[in-house]
Amino acid sequence: YYNPQQEKVNTTDPLLIHQISDLSQDQLLYQQLPFAPADTAFLHLSIRARSRLLKIEVDFFQFSGLENQQFRFRLDGLNEDFGEWTTNPTKEYTNLREGDYTLQIQSKDRVGQIVEGPAYRFTVQAPFYRSTLAKVFYLLFSLLLILFLMYLQRQRYRKKEAEQEKKQQAVLAQKQQKVKELQRKKDQELHRLK
C-alpha cells in the first residue's frame, strides 16, 4: 500500500563528495572535480591521526529546485542515524579516533525526493604512540628495561657477596694470625721449658 510518510530513496542521481579538507593542517586530502572521471584514490583514503578537523563538501548535480535542496550525513563508526536535514552541503568532523569509517550522504529536493550517494569509506590512522610499531617498541623497551634491572640486581648481589667474602677472609686471616701467635707463644714456652 502507499504510505505518503515513507521517504522514497533514489540512488541513481549523481551525489558525490566534491572534496575533503583537513582544516587543522590546512591541507586538501581529496578532490573530485565536476564531471571528471571518478578518482579511485578515494577508495583507499587514509587520513593521518593529526587531522583534527575534517571538512567534507558535497556536490549534487540536479539542476532544478536548487534553492530548496537539503542534505544530511551519517558517519558509520561515529553516528548510528542520519543527522538533521540542512541546506549546507558541507559537514565537519572533529577529533575522529583511529578506525574505519563509512560516510553516507543523502539529499532531498523540494518535492521530497531523496537521493542517496555511494558510501565512501576511509580510515583514520592511529597516532604513532598507539600504532603497532609503537607497541612493539614499548614491548622491546620493557624487556630491555627488565633485563637491565635484572643485570643491576645481579651486579649488586655479586658486589655484596664479594664484600661478604672479603670480610670473612679478613676474619679468617685474623683468626689464623691469632692461631699463629698462640702457636709461636706455645713453641717459645716449650723451648723455654726444655
Side-chain angles (χ1 to χ4, degrees), residues 182-194:
L182 286 173
Q183 185 69 29
R184 191 179 57 81
K185 284 184 183 181
K186 180 181 164 189
D187 287 344
Q188 282 179 352
E189 191 66 33
L190 280 175
H191 200 18
R192 204 171 59 121
L193 289 175
K194 279 187 184 182

Side-chain angles (χ1 to χ4, degrees), residues 125-142:
Q125 298 171 352
F128 179 74
Y129 64 90
R130 285 197 308 248
S131 68
T132 304
L133 180 63
K135 290 175 184 175
V136 169
F137 175 75
Y138 298 149
L139 178 65
L140 289 175
F141 180 75
S142 298

